[in-house]
Amino acid sequence: MKADLILKNYEIAKERYAALGVDTDKAIETLEKTPISLHCWQADDVVGFERGEAASGGIQSTGNYPGKARNIDELRQDIEKVNSLLAGTFRLNLHEIYGEFGGKQIDRNEVTVDQFTGWMQWAKEQNMKLDFNSTSFSHPLSGNLTLSNPDPAIREFWIEHTKRCRHIADAMGKFQNDPCIMNIWIHDGSKDITVEKGRYREILKNSLDEILAEELPNMKSCLEAKLFGIGLEAYTVGSHDFYAGYCAKNNVMYTLDTGHYEPTENVSDAVSALLLFVPELMLHVSRPMHWDSDHVTLFDDNTRNLFSELVRTNALDRAHIGLDYFDGSINRIGAYIIGVRAAQKSLLQAFLEPLDTLRKYEDEGKLFQRLALLEEEKTLPFGAVYDYFNLKNNIPVGEEYIADIEKYEAEVLANRK
Ligand SMILES: C[C@H](O)[C@H](O)[C@@H](O)C(=O)CO
Ligand SMILES: [Mn+2]
């Protein structure tokens, strides 16, 4: 699209929004500064560099599109490409299995920061900060139960792993002078009916108490709830109620993954409820299709509702935005760009909402007026504002990035046989 046309459209949009009391320049500035954490695992279908095996243990990636990253250099190359096609501020969310193991057998209860210093340096060069995840899946000891396992040897193994991961996250946070957010998601559960629901939850509670006992100043831990995992359909130890209770009681950050709730549930509704009781939220923005399928995030009602709730609740500074999906059936770089742009569009639309007027209508009981404005705002020219945001940052506008990704596929990804 021609720059002068984008600018002209932006000026018209700016005037239209100003008439509603909305400052588009301010919205763009806020969007530029709001960090989005890119999940490293979209680049290689959650394989990582430890064992090189397909993900197992509650999650699964489907699709066999050619060109997935096979090593650290390729993954970094892909993330650099993704960065070059996006405006804004980005972090990188690493899983423990993406360490630099250098061909050595370093088991999960032996991992140290040494396997991540290269990542820290690289991220600094990319002007990205790091977030982190312990990895309980894709390991011979993953089984059905890790931190909630009644077998002390297995449980100790995973406690040690998670403690070590917290230390790695702390080192990352210190290095980048900004807290590293470390997520703990475990798949623990049961395929069929269990008569020991309470027992496993009590063990998990005790494991978490032990893991989180140590104060580490440069990292923040968050706990991710889930409805069910693949092969563990009947019961999940770390359910929503379990973690909501645990996080509220222990002042721990809660991870809200938009794929982890009943399909008819309005996940965005959890934002204002949880934030009354937990300190912060980590968001895993995903797209469930019938179940927790981890399809590429889109600019759909679920994503839009989530971000508008964040803004309406004044919770932007208490939420960490991350993406979480893994689609191996399409160009993986394209999958990143579609998902990030969807999150950005949803955020921008939330920033552009004429909230003062909507709140005033609501306070005054003017409910027809509120509904009318909510309807009208949907077709305000926010696309022109998003185009300008990209143009201003020298990033491809609109569908222009498709050709860029096709070129990268032909020149780089096609050579990964
Ligand atoms: C790879 C991630 O840890 C994983 O996707 C987790 O966050 C999750 O959502 C599992 O369903
Ligand atoms: Mn998740």
Side-chain angles (χ1 to χ4, degrees):
M1 217 190 307
K2 288 210 177 79
D4 54 351
L5 190 60
I6 296 166
L7 285 168
K8 201 164 130 195
N9 286 344
Y10 178 64
E11 286 310 317
I12 295 167
K14 185 173 170 169
E15 208 176 311
R16 177 74 182 96
Y17 277 105
L20 291 165
V22 175
D23 181 341
T24 50
D25 288 334
K26 195 166 153 227
I28 287 175
E29 204 184 306
T30 314
L31 185 61
E32 281 166 346
K33 285 190 199 143
T34 305
I36 296 181
S37 201
L38 297 177
H39 53 313
C40 73
W41 50 93
Q42 163 58 39
D44 73 338
D45 310 343
V46 214
V47 172
F49 311 122
E50 185 203 56
R51 283 158 200 277
E53 290 164 10
S56 63
I59 53 170
Q60 191 180 34
S61 169
T62 53
N64 201 20
Y65 198 82
K68 81 172 158 201
R70 297 163 301 179
N71 52 51
I72 289 191
D73 289 341
E74 289 179 357
L75 196 133
R76 288 180 183 159
Q77 184 184 23
D78 288 352
I79 298 293
E80 285 172 27
K81 182 68 200 172
V82 167
N83 265 342
S84 75
L85 294 173
L86 294 169
T89 306
F90 295 96
R91 301 172 69 96
L92 182 68
N93 200 1
L94 284 177
H95 244 285
E96 185 271 348
I97 48 171
Y98 288 78
E100 280 182 280
F101 301 108
K104 292 191 212 113
Q105 294 295 315
I106 299 172
D107 211 345
R108 303 219 186 145
N109 61 347
E110 298 163 342
V111 66
T112 69
V113 71
D114 292 350
Q115 286 79 59
F116 294 91
T117 48
W119 273 116
M120 285 150 65
Q121 197 51 48
W122 175 85
K124 189 176 176 188
E125 286 156 21
Q126 302 306 313
N127 203 19
M128 292 176 105
K129 295 194 169 133
L130 294 174
D131 293 318
F132 199 51
N133 298 257
S134 51
T135 312
S136 70
F137 50 85
S138 304
H139 185 275
L141 288 184
S142 295
N144 291 348
L145 300 171
T146 59
L147 292 176
S148 64
N149 203 310
D151 179 335
I154 296 178
R155 187 170 69 253
E156 280 310 322
F157 176 89
W158 291 111
I159 290 176
E160 180 63 25
H161 168 71
T162 319
K163 282 183 179 173
R164 281 171 178 262
C165 285
R166 289 187 79 232
H167 279 266
I168 294 166
D170 191 57
M172 288 173 172
K174 190 167 180 201
F175 181 81
Q176 64 199 19
N177 201 21
D178 189 67
C180 170
I181 312 301
M182 191 191 117
N183 188 49
I184 302 176
W185 170 68
I186 56 165
H187 54 280
D188 294 29
S190 173
K191 180 179 170 71
D192 218 324
I193 297 162
T194 165
V195 294
E196 291 282 37
K197 286 186 175 181
R199 183 176 178 215
Y200 304 133
R201 289 194 170 125
E202 198 177 336
I203 297 173
L204 177 57
K205 178 199 165 294
N206 292 339
S207 298
L208 290 172
D209 287 350
E210 186 181 334
I211 289 164
L212 300 177
E214 191 175 1
E215 288 285 332
L216 295 169
N218 304 298
M219 59 85 66
K220 295 181 182 184
S221 304
C222 46
L223 303 175
E224 181 174 6
K226 190 160 179 173
L227 190 58
F228 74 94
I230 298 175
L232 304 165
E233 289 84 0
Y235 163 70
T236 293
V237 187
S239 61
H240 166 71
D241 310 77
F242 175 89
Y243 282 126
Y246 190 94
C247 290
K249 187 167 177 207
N250 297 287
N251 205 31
V252 177
M253 189 187 314
Y254 179 97
T255 303
L256 190 74
D257 183 313
T258 54
H260 289 188
Y261 298 83
E262 294 288 355
T264 56
E265 212 170 334
N266 179 358
V267 180
S268 67
D269 201 27
V271 170
S272 59
L274 284 166
L275 279 175
L276 283 177
F277 305 103
V278 303
E280 291 177 289
L281 292 178
M282 174 76 212
L283 301 178
H284 276 190
V285 190
S286 189
R287 178 166 53 110
M289 181 91 70
H290 302 300
W291 64 289
D292 177 31
S293 56
D294 288 294
H295 280 68
V296 179
T297 297
L298 294 182
F299 178 60
D300 57 13
D301 283 353
N302 286 339
T303 315
R304 290 176 46 242
N305 288 341
L306 179 71
F307 288 115
S308 70
E309 248 332 278
L310 270 192
V311 174
R312 290 175 187 173
T313 316
N314 292 324
L316 206 57
D317 58 348
R318 288 175 65 204
H320 304 267
I321 301 167
L323 302 178
D324 183 13
Y325 52 80
F326 26 97
D327 188 341
S329 73
I330 58 173
N331 181 304
R332 293 170 184 81
I333 315 302
Y336 272 120
I337 306 298
I338 292 171
V340 173
R341 286 172 61 102
Q344 287 183 329
K345 288 176 198 165
S346 305
L347 265 171
L348 181 63
Q349 206 171 49
F351 297 148
L352 291 171
E353 181 164 75
L355 204 46
D356 291 344
T357 311
L358 286 164
R359 285 194 171 126
K360 188 164 171 291
Y361 283 153
E362 187 153 327
D363 276 354
E364 292 170 355
K366 293 183 172 171
L367 302 190
F368 142 70
Q369 292 86 335
R370 181 190 61 186
L371 193 59
L373 191 51
L374 283 170
E375 271 303 280
E376 289 309 316
E377 74 173 25
K378 290 179 184 165
T379 50
L380 288 174
F382 103 95
V385 184
Y386 188 64
D387 285 347
Y388 175 68
F389 160 77
N390 283 315
L391 179 80
K392 179 173 175 274
N393 289 287
N394 296 316
I395 292 298
V397 174
E399 70 285 0
E400 282 169 8
Y401 70 90
I402 297 174
D404 235 303
I405 289 174
E406 283 174 344
K407 189 162 177 276
Y408 187 72
E409 177 164 331
E411 291 175 359
V412 179
L413 302 180
N415 299 320
R416 296 180 187 169
K417 301 273 190 254

